[in-house]
Amino acid sequence: HISAILYCNAFQVSKFLRMSTDFRSLPNLTAVREGKCYVEHTESEYAFSDFRFRMTDPSIPQEDWAEGITIFENPFAEILLPAKILPCTSTISLKDGYVYRDVHGFHPLVSYMLMSIGNATEPR
């Protein structure tokens, strides 16, 4: 009876802080987010990669609530989950007897945020 399972390990205090704070307006604070993510390698393959963002960089991906959510679809459910009904950045599904992982945009697997205050150098 379960159509899908949603999983996300990213709903932490640091995510709430990143989404609620304009780091560019805090010149005495240096904040860096880094971790591991999936990036598109080909149309159907994804590579494991490192990432590192200075939170003051305007070119970094805009973080939203769906970032890091993985949907595990149940192919045997009585009522299948309609495609793209829930926002996520990764979907695990069964196609022709094979397990597939589709990644939609930036999908962090794990990340952490480092901060320093004052004249300190960039956190490491």
Side-chain angles (χ1 to χ4, degrees):
H1 296 291
I2 297 174
S3 298
I5 295 174
L6 277 67
Y7 170 78
C8 185
N9 68 349
F11 293 126
Q12 308 153 349
V13 172
S14 59
K15 181 177 186 87
F16 292 95
L17 181 64
R18 287 190 305 271
M19 291 187 66
S20 66
T21 305
D22 178 7
F23 289 97
R24 290 172 286 199
S25 68
L26 302 169
N28 290 334
L29 181 69
T30 302
V32 175
R33 179 184 182 202
E34 59 184 53
K36 305 284 185 187
C37 66
Y38 277 125
V39 292
E40 189 172 5
H41 178 65
T42 67
E43 190 174 305
S44 62
E45 296 176 319
Y46 305 95
F48 193 58
S49 180
D50 296 319
F51 71 89
R52 182 177 174 89
F53 304 135
R54 282 187 70 100
M55 297 309 298
T56 53
D57 183 349
S59 69
I60 65 173
Q62 180 66 38
E63 188 168 2
D64 64 16
W65 290 110
E67 183 180 282
I69 293 177
T70 297
I71 295 177
F72 294 85
E73 295 179 347
N74 178 3
F76 308 108
E78 289 181 27
I79 300 172
L80 296 177
L81 189 68
K84 299 182 182 180
I85 192 168
L86 297 172
C88 68
T89 56
S90 179
T91 305
I92 307 289
S93 59
L94 190 66
K95 298 175 187 169
D96 299 325
Y98 292 94
V99 176
Y100 282 88
R101 177 175 215 142
D102 295 313
V103 177
H104 322 289
F106 178 67
H107 182 72
L109 297 168
V110 64
S111 73
Y112 53 93
M113 192 166 73
L114 305 166
M115 295 190 296
S116 64
I117 299 173
N119 295 326
T121 59
E122 183 171 306
R124 291 262 169 215

